[in-house]
Amino acid sequence: MTDRQTAMRLYLAVGCGAATGSLTRFLSGYVIVSLLGLNALWSTAFVNVVGSWVIMAFATLTGPDGRMMVGPASRNFVMAGFCGGLTTFSAMSLDTFILLFEGDLPLAATYLISVVGLSLAAAWLGYLMASRLNRLPKGSQATGS
């Protein structure tokens, strides 16, 4: 495969991953707001927390000491594409400023601190879970014990 073909494969992987992540974010918002009747803040928080878990778990599982061997295209599909399309720092920033403009400083601060804190906690949990899987002997299955 030539360098140009390799680059095109990476671009395509990131683009397809981003489209998939963005569609997942949109559908999550639809379910959370339209079907469950929750505030849109919950939708933004949900995708950021889930995305933080996914990116850290995947990075840990596919890193140099990871259990899963994937190529650059697959890694970029998930990490740069899907997680980049799924998570939304810009929407979280907008939500926070809207709350500030509405004069709700306590809710804005609580929302911002909670989403960032929960996202970091989710990333840590993803790391711990993936690290545990990485330590299992090759060929064994995780049984939950």
Side-chain angles (χ1 to χ4, degrees):
M1 189 176 293
T2 68
D3 287 345
R4 183 178 174 153
Q5 288 172 321
T6 300
M8 291 305 293
R9 184 175 173 167
L10 286 174
Y11 299 152
L12 185 60
V14 171
C16 289
T20 304
S22 294
L23 182 59
T24 302
R25 180 176 70 219
F26 174 80
L27 293 174
S28 295
Y30 176 77
V31 168
I32 290 169
V33 175
S34 299
L35 298 182
L36 298 178
L38 297 173
N39 185 297
L41 295 175
W42 286 101
S43 175
T44 302
F46 174 78
V47 297
N48 284 331
V49 171
V50 169
S52 294
W53 182 87
V54 169
I55 198 167
M56 183 58 89
F58 193 79
T60 303
L61 287 171
T62 61
D65 296 329
R67 179 173 203 83
M68 295 171 48
M69 303 310 293
V70 298
S74 296
R75 196 164 158 89
N76 280 287
F77 174 89
V78 174
M79 294 174 66
F82 180 78
C83 290
L86 176 66
T87 59
T88 174
F89 185 83
S90 57
M92 183 182 68
S93 299
L94 176 64
D95 292 341
T96 303
F97 270 98
I98 288 172
L99 292 169
L100 289 172
F101 293 148
E102 292 173 350
D104 200 341
L105 178 62
L107 182 56
T110 300
Y111 174 70
L112 184 61
I113 291 167
S114 296
V115 173
V116 172
L118 288 170
S119 295
L120 289 171
W124 178 68
L125 183 60
Y127 171 78
L128 291 177
M129 293 170 72
S131 293
R132 184 172 179 181
L133 284 173
N134 283 341
R135 287 191 302 269
L136 290 174
K138 297 288 185 192
S140 68
Q141 299 294 327
T143 61
S145 55

